[in-house]
Amino acid sequence: MRLSLLWSREFLTSRFILWALFISNLLGTVYGYIWYEAQLRETWANYPRWLIPFVPDSPTASLFFTLALLFLIFPATLSKYNRIRTLIEALAVVTSVKYGIWAVSIIFAGAYQGEVLVWQDWMLVASHLAMAVEALLFVRFFKYGTVMLLAAGAWTFLNDFIDYSFGVYPWLPQALWDDVGYVAVFTVALTGASIAAGWIAMRAAQRI
């Protein structure tokens, strides 16, 4: 199949592809929350409980993209929710790009410092790269604008602040336990880069 066909609107927005992506992302989201079960339990037992929503970063990003797909699958039925749609789409792009790249970077940073990569790590690398790629691939079908993009960015910066101020950031490989400060700086910088990527992709989509 030619690359131009894979990139085409007809292919990416076909019912088969949209439903396939919706189901795979939904299953990945559920698996992601299960992956965070131990950290969620620890947070519930030892931290203020209002911090719980800020713990499972990647699955929540995947949830935003899964919900964004619903607006493409049922455009007429959900048309009255246009404002919430654009916010969800902006959150999907910023957080999927951010946490997709973040997870891959952290896995390889841990490996660089001596962590042994196992098959689960490679599964996480593949799935998180897919998160970032699919979010940018679908920007041209999304309707968010600059205001919602900035709102999504503000939420993501808030998430960063809470993660590293209250210690509820995603558990790191043991080799990075003494590098939390550097990880925090990288995380905040990556949020800024993800907002920029969402804006560049949005502007590029408007010219297509």
Side-chain angles (χ1 to χ4, degrees):
M1 188 177 295
R2 294 190 305 173
L3 184 61
S4 59
L5 176 59
L6 290 172
W7 171 249
S8 70
R9 172 181 292 269
E10 291 74 17
F11 177 78
L12 291 175
T13 60
S14 66
R15 303 294 289 181
F16 174 79
I17 292 299
L18 289 176
W19 274 112
L21 286 174
F22 175 79
I23 293 170
S24 61
N25 276 276
L26 180 61
L27 293 175
T29 299
V30 172
Y31 178 78
Y33 283 117
I34 294 172
W35 180 276
Y36 271 87
E37 180 181 2
Q39 187 174 359
L40 286 167
R41 288 182 180 275
E42 179 177 313
T43 304
W44 184 266
N46 300 298
Y47 293 82
R49 291 177 179 176
W50 64 268
L51 293 171
I52 288 290
F54 297 95
V55 172
D57 294 335
S58 291
T60 302
S62 178
L63 176 62
F64 287 139
F65 187 77
T66 303
L67 293 174
L69 288 172
L70 281 178
F71 289 97
L72 296 178
I73 295 172
F74 303 108
T77 304
L78 300 177
S79 60
K80 61 183 177 179
Y81 302 109
N82 186 63
R83 185 173 296 274
I84 188 65
R85 168 185 179 168
T86 54
L87 178 58
I88 288 173
E89 289 173 345
L91 284 165
V93 172
V94 173
T95 60
S96 294
V97 172
K98 185 260 183 74
Y99 293 115
I101 296 173
W102 185 91
V104 174
S105 301
I106 293 302
I107 289 170
F108 285 130
Y112 179 76
Q113 295 197 34
E115 290 285 328
V116 177
L117 297 184
V118 296
W119 71 267
Q120 291 96 331
D121 294 313
W122 293 109
M123 178 269 292
L124 291 172
V125 166
S127 61
H128 282 79
L129 281 177
M131 283 175 56
V133 170
E134 68 182 2
L136 291 175
L137 198 59
F138 272 78
V139 167
R140 62 195 174 115
F141 310 126
F142 291 161
K143 296 184 176 182
Y144 72 84
T146 302
V147 172
M148 289 306 185
L149 184 65
L150 291 176
W155 163 261
T156 311
F157 276 126
L158 174 63
N159 198 112
D160 295 342
F161 173 78
I162 290 175
D163 274 358
Y164 294 94
S165 296
F166 291 89
V168 293
Y169 50 83
W171 285 348
L172 301 171
Q174 186 172 350
L176 299 180
W177 287 359
D178 58 348
D179 294 318
V180 174
Y182 294 110
V183 172
V185 172
F186 170 71
T187 301
V188 173
L190 189 55
T191 295
S194 299
I195 296 168
W199 186 84
I200 292 170
M202 177 189 73
R203 296 291 292 173
Q206 291 172 349
R207 292 193 291 268
I208 293 177

